[in-house]
Amino acid sequence: MNKITLLFTFLIGTMAICLWALWPSQKTTSDDKSLTLYCAAGLQSPVEEIIEDYHKLTGRTVKVIYNGSGALLSQIKIAPGDLYLPANNEYIRQAESMDLTMESIPAASMTAVLVVAKDNQNIQDLDDLTQEGIRISFADSTAAIGKHVRQVLSEHQLLAAIEKNVTVTKPTVNNIIEDVALGSVDATIAWDAVANHNPKVKTIPIPIFHNKPRVAEIAVLRSSKEASAALHFARYLSAKDRGLKTFAQHGFQVSPQADLWKDVPEILLFSGSMLRPAIQDGLREFEQREGCRISTVYEGCGTLVAQMKAGAQPEFYFSCDVTFLDQVQDRFEPGTVISQNEIILLVPKGNPKNIRTLDDLNKANLKVGVAHPVKSALGKLTHDMLKASSHLKPLEASGNIIILASKGDELVTQMQAGALDAALLYRSNAKASEAITKHCSIISLNRTDAIATQPFAIAVNAQHPQMMRRLGAYLSNKQAEQRFKHFGFTWKKETHNRSNTPANP
């Protein structure tokens, strides 16, 4: 009986182990899930190679649906997916207007050329396409090449004369090139990078298309359930030392303004300390979505400028005031102004010293705190404001200035500790936390010369310029606007270009 019991127990245990091994795991990571990419047919050769390389590197799978760019756009309106890569970024702009996409990154570019059989000597230019008896294959207008060719020919009043010789219309650029290769037609107009890979045809440049290259751009779809993983692949495909290298090998044109590949990019960001409350949550959200690490240095802008002039190289700089971007503008692309921030008087709750104006700061036995005029934008603006209003010399003569802080939040700390009767600082410093407004009161100065203007800028030598542009967009979106306003900033988004340094294309 004992032997039977033991045998029965053994069999039950073995079955349990087998069932456990066969039972699907409940723990699933993004690496276990494949992505779906809607890709223009003309990009198939490089994209398949890129996907294979990506799989070898990461183990992740990308499934692809190939079609004309316009047909794909119609598909993603009704079907789920993760990424969209049309041959012309005009389709990305359309998708954005329909709220179908989120982040997008430029990849490769192509130019339309005349395509004829290798031994064809009769067709040399567009005029030859208008001759009677010429057979032409055109891509459908839903394909990127078909739409582009019709637009340009129409602009030059050539469409009708050429279109009369179109004998067949096909859905993709690959199809129309194959028509020429098989001898079914005499000519077509197709992307250079795609046609140059067919040994049976030759390409002829067309002047009216020469300066109109189209950019293929990859976008993360709003329907994606694996957006971070999708963005990871998009970064790989558009990296200058990964996907773009493959595109270039396939004859596509690639931009030098592309990111270097890194699985987890590491970004150095310099920011004026007064911006910290408004941007720190956005930075953490961006890190999580992009899969990057952002090292932040919050300091007075005078200190940050000194560090940069000593050799520090942040990829992204958020300045407290445009004057502190101007001092290092040669290191950065033209800035984008986001907000303005005014200098206010901060006093203890109830204002026991009855301080209402700048004149009141000269009262006897007051303890006043201001920011250092060299180490911070706040200090410089405060100094200039006091000087322009003839308050600087009387205040200095009073002996009331007992603290010269390197940044505004140091003044707030001193106010909360009861070490000061008044401080000149930014409104955002005073609204950084409820604890400050609970124990202190804000007195507005209402002076036009007491306003700082905050731009951000991307380093001209940034290793991740495209990611930095996405970061700039994230820190200036609608949600960011609400955060800035919550902390006392005035929203004011515009391009700041006071330098002659041109932006990189």
Side-chain angles (χ1 to χ4, degrees):
M1 188 68 178
N2 287 339
K3 288 183 179 180
I4 295 173
T5 302
L6 286 171
L7 179 61
F8 180 75
T9 303
F10 174 76
L11 290 173
I12 292 295
T14 302
M15 290 176 63
I17 291 170
C18 291
L19 287 170
W20 177 84
L22 293 171
W23 194 262
S25 172
Q26 297 303 304
K27 183 178 179 182
T28 306
T29 66
S30 61
D31 287 355
D32 299 323
K33 298 177 181 178
S34 63
L35 300 172
T36 299
L37 166 66
Y38 294 90
C39 180
L43 307 177
Q44 183 170 352
S45 293
V47 166
E48 286 186 346
E49 190 174 325
I50 290 166
I51 288 173
E52 183 180 351
D53 292 341
Y54 183 73
H55 180 71
K56 288 177 182 177
L57 179 68
T58 66
R60 298 173 183 174
T61 302
V62 181
K63 298 176 181 177
V64 193
I65 298 170
Y66 294 106
N67 208 334
S69 298
L72 292 172
L73 181 57
S74 297
Q75 283 181 265
I76 65 177
K77 291 178 186 177
I78 57 175
D82 301 289
L83 295 148
Y84 177 39
L85 177 58
N88 186 337
N89 59 9
E90 287 182 9
Y91 291 95
I92 295 291
R93 305 290 86 81
Q94 288 182 45
E96 287 173 348
S97 69
M98 292 182 260
D99 202 29
L100 295 173
T101 60
M102 293 181 286
E103 299 91 346
S104 63
I105 312 174
S109 59
M110 304 160 286
T111 302
V113 292
L114 188 56
V115 181
V116 297
K118 204 80 169 176
D119 58 355
N120 189 308
Q121 301 299 322
N122 299 321
I123 300 174
Q124 301 294 327
D125 54 34
L126 286 181
D127 285 341
D128 293 331
L129 296 186
T130 66
Q131 302 304 315
E132 191 168 343
I134 296 295
R135 300 166 302 160
I136 301 171
S137 178
F138 259 18
D140 190 84
S141 58
T142 60
I145 185 65
K147 182 179 179 181
H148 176 55
V149 166
R150 286 173 175 81
Q151 284 177 340
V152 176
L153 292 178
S154 181
E155 289 170 7
H156 291 80
Q157 289 79 48
L158 292 170
L159 180 60
I162 292 174
E163 205 167 31
K164 67 180 176 61
N165 285 333
V166 173
T167 58
V168 63
T169 301
K170 295 292 180 71
T172 72
V173 67
N174 299 348
N175 298 142
I176 60 175
I177 294 170
E178 191 63 21
D179 283 345
V180 176
L182 293 173
S184 303
V185 297
D186 301 307
T188 189
I189 302 175
W191 300 126
D192 52 359
V194 184
N196 286 333
H197 277 273
N198 192 313
K200 295 182 180 180
V201 303
K202 65 181 178 181
T203 61
I204 301 170
I206 308 172
I208 63 173
F209 288 96
H210 183 69
N211 292 322
K212 295 180 182 290
R214 300 293 94 177
V215 178
E217 195 167 314
I218 187 166
V220 177
L221 294 177
R222 195 167 291 280
S223 62
S224 176
K225 291 181 171 33
E226 296 291 328
S228 292
L231 190 51
H232 189 271
F233 174 72
R235 289 199 298 105
Y236 181 90
L237 179 139
S238 60
K240 65 169 69 175
D241 53 343
R242 289 295 192 274
L244 293 196
K245 204 171 177 181
T246 302
F247 272 110
Q249 291 168 353
H250 282 258
F252 289 79
Q253 304 157 49
V254 296
S255 170
Q257 281 295 300
D259 293 0
L260 287 170
W261 168 252
K262 199 166 186 180
D263 183 44
V264 181
E266 296 180 358
I267 307 301
L268 177 61
L269 182 147
F270 276 16
S271 172
S273 59
M274 63 110 125
L275 290 152
R276 184 172 190 161
I279 68 173
Q280 60 186 355
D281 288 345
L283 292 177
R284 298 295 81 80
E285 292 162 1
F286 186 83
E287 275 185 320
Q288 185 175 3
R289 184 171 178 85
E290 291 269 350
C292 65
R293 282 194 290 266
I294 302 175
S295 298
T296 50
V297 179
Y298 295 106
E299 273 294 351
C301 283
T303 301
L304 295 177
V305 166
Q307 290 180 12
M308 285 185 271
K309 289 185 175 180
Q313 296 183 347
E315 290 197 60
F316 196 97
Y317 175 37
F318 216 143
S319 178
C320 294
D321 188 66
V322 291
T323 57
F324 281 81
L325 173 57
D326 289 341
Q327 294 177 41
V328 288
Q329 184 64 76
D330 60 324
R331 295 166 168 80
F332 293 92
E333 297 179 4
T336 299
V337 167
I338 291 299
S339 60
Q340 289 184 328
N341 202 356
E342 65 172 329
I343 294 177
I344 53 90
L345 270 169
L346 192 67
V347 298
K349 203 73 172 178
N351 196 4
K353 301 288 185 175
N354 195 28
I355 299 169
R356 302 291 177 186
T357 67
L358 292 176
D359 289 324
D360 293 334
L361 297 179
N362 300 327
K363 291 180 179 179
N365 302 317
L366 285 184
K367 294 176 290 185
V368 178
V370 296
H372 196 286
V374 175
K375 294 182 179 179
S376 75
L378 171 60
K380 183 180 186 304
L381 188 61
T382 300
H383 178 275
D384 293 347
M385 175 192 68
L386 292 173
K387 185 176 180 180
S389 61
S390 301
H391 287 94
L392 181 61
K393 286 185 178 180
L395 181 55
E396 289 176 336
S398 72
N400 287 345
I401 299 177
I402 65 166
I403 291 177
L404 280 175
S406 62
K407 47 191 177 181
D409 47 13
E410 292 178 7
L411 294 172
V412 170
T413 301
Q414 294 299 318
M415 282 293 303
Q416 289 179 300
L420 295 173
D421 298 311
L424 286 163
L425 39 73
Y426 290 123
R427 183 176 290 274
S428 65
N429 296 136
K431 297 191 71 174
S433 74
E434 291 182 4
I436 301 170
T437 53
K438 182 178 179 180
H439 296 98
C440 301
S441 297
I442 295 173
I443 298 173
S444 297
L445 297 176
N446 298 317
R447 296 184 60 90
T448 57
D449 57 356
I451 297 175
T453 301
Q454 295 79 53
F456 68 74
I458 298 164
V460 294
N461 62 351
Q463 292 190 342
H464 308 92
Q466 295 300 330
M467 179 178 283
M468 293 304 93
R469 288 184 176 87
R470 295 196 297 278
L471 176 57
Y474 196 83
L475 294 178
S476 56
N477 64 19
K478 287 293 183 184
Q479 186 178 11
E481 179 180 352
Q482 295 307 311
R483 284 173 175 158
F484 271 79
K485 289 179 177 179
H486 174 75
F487 288 107
F489 291 86
T490 300
W491 194 249
K492 186 178 174 66
K493 187 177 177 182
E494 62 184 38
T495 299
H496 167 67
N497 187 6
R498 294 171 61 177
S499 167
N500 291 325
T501 306
N504 288 326

